[in-house]
Amino acid sequence: MLETESLRGRQLLFMGLSNKYASLDNHHHLRDLCTFTVCIDLNKTEESIKTWAPFSYDVNSSSTEMEKVELALLVNKSILYAFILGNKTELGMDFPAYSMHRICCTWDGNKSLFEIFQNSEKLRSVRLYNSTRKCLKPDGTLILGHLHKNQNGSPTILSSFVGILHYFQMWDHVRDPQQMARCDGGNVVSWQGDYWSLGGVRNELAHHQPCGGEAATTAAPPSTSKPPEATVTGPEIRCGGVHHGSFAIHE
């Protein structure tokens, strides 16, 4: 049985190693979520890394198609993509290195509405009218610092993060930007929960972070300008094999 712990007051340092990743233990499962909010603080510490992923959630299958990942954020060749329920949204931007950003995603299955925020400023609102599904599938694997496929019961790592991740939280409802800026714990997944398996990932004190102290109540990173609205295209990404693989976005 893997040892688990809480990440209260800590942050994770990722070096881009595919065999080291943080995940939920096998006893903490996500239920099917038709509305949710996910927030994570990230600091990319290597400007030259152009392909990376802060987190991904996937359910067990034999598929090697990356668009089948249930939920993920991916930067590939400095372009940000979001994946949810088999849909791909291209955001056309990257995050500057060497500073902390709070990235939040919300999904409202009743409205088929997916939204992404950076530091409480909305990046995109996308209506996924072509999706036949409204809810995330339950009982998958949530991994921090990597894009992965849950293939035949074990994760296949496809892309890795280099930098600092802090304060991953997940709620079973849509939160507004003011709520996103706070240091509240998630009611589905919480950074403070004692169910994290660190898998060899280094961690350190995060008291200097807005949500790193026990008494922290707000986190309001600098705001950014609002880009134009995104478009949704059909799945374009494929990944092959069951090894620690590479992948390509086909233009």
Side-chain angles (χ1 to χ4, degrees):
M1 181 177 179
L2 294 176
E3 182 179 353
T4 60
E5 57 188 285
S6 168
L7 289 170
R8 181 186 298 273
R10 315 292 294 183
Q11 62 186 21
L12 299 177
L13 283 70
F14 289 87
M15 308 302 292
L17 301 175
S18 60
N19 62 340
K20 296 183 184 298
Y21 53 85
S23 61
L24 297 180
D25 68 20
N26 293 330
H27 301 289
H28 191 85
H29 298 292
L30 270 64
R31 59 185 185 274
D32 52 340
L33 294 171
C34 301
T35 59
F36 64 80
T37 300
V38 171
C39 290
I40 188 170
D41 292 357
L42 63 88
N43 182 352
K44 185 177 66 171
T45 58
E46 178 51 68
E47 186 67 63
S48 64
I49 303 297
K50 303 301 182 182
T51 299
W52 52 273
F55 75 89
S56 55
Y57 172 74
D58 195 31
V59 295
N60 187 35
S61 73
S62 59
S63 172
T64 61
E65 297 177 288
M66 200 198 71
E67 70 268 17
K68 302 302 182 182
V69 172
E70 283 293 290
L71 177 67
L73 291 182
L74 166 71
V75 174
N76 186 51
K77 298 179 181 178
S78 298
I79 299 176
L80 176 64
Y81 296 86
F83 295 87
I84 178 172
L85 309 180
N87 294 274
K88 182 188 76 172
T89 300
E90 178 180 328
L91 303 181
M93 50 84 71
D94 197 354
F95 303 109
Y98 316 119
S99 61
M100 190 67 78
H101 306 272
R102 174 158 295 184
I103 309 302
C104 294
C105 307
T106 67
W107 168 250
D108 186 334
N110 294 322
K111 300 177 181 178
S112 298
L113 179 64
F114 181 63
E115 296 188 313
I116 300 181
F117 298 77
Q118 177 188 7
N119 302 333
S120 298
E121 293 289 333
K122 188 183 297 183
L123 294 179
R124 297 291 188 271
S125 291
V126 182
R127 298 275 184 175
L128 304 182
Y129 292 119
N130 60 336
S131 177
T132 59
R133 293 172 47 210
K134 303 297 183 181
C135 308
L136 285 181
K137 293 180 180 179
D139 302 327
T141 52
L142 172 65
I143 287 182
L144 303 185
H146 302 276
L147 177 69
H148 83 287
K149 281 291 298 175
N150 185 345
Q151 194 173 46
N152 298 320
S154 62
T156 298
I157 302 300
L158 304 174
S159 181
S160 302
F161 180 65
V162 177
I164 298 168
L165 295 182
H166 176 57
Y167 223 67
F168 182 96
Q169 310 284 4
M170 187 172 193
W171 297 266
D172 61 2
H173 56 275
V174 173
R175 289 169 70 84
D176 62 39
Q178 291 73 30
Q179 292 173 320
M180 292 175 187
R182 302 202 302 245
C183 292
D184 303 334
N187 66 348
V188 176
V189 178
S190 173
W191 194 251
Q192 298 92 330
D194 60 356
Y195 37 65
W196 290 101
S197 173
L198 301 190
V201 177
R202 179 185 168 193
N203 69 94
E204 64 182 16
L205 291 174
H207 292 164
H208 60 290
Q209 302 292 0
C211 292
E214 296 297 323
T217 57
T218 62
S223 62
T224 57
S225 59
K226 181 180 177 181
E229 187 160 316
T231 58
V232 177
T233 65
E236 296 182 6
I237 292 184
R238 299 291 186 273
C239 62
V242 295
H243 57 286
H244 295 151
S246 59
F247 55 89
I249 293 182
H250 303 290
E251 302 297 339

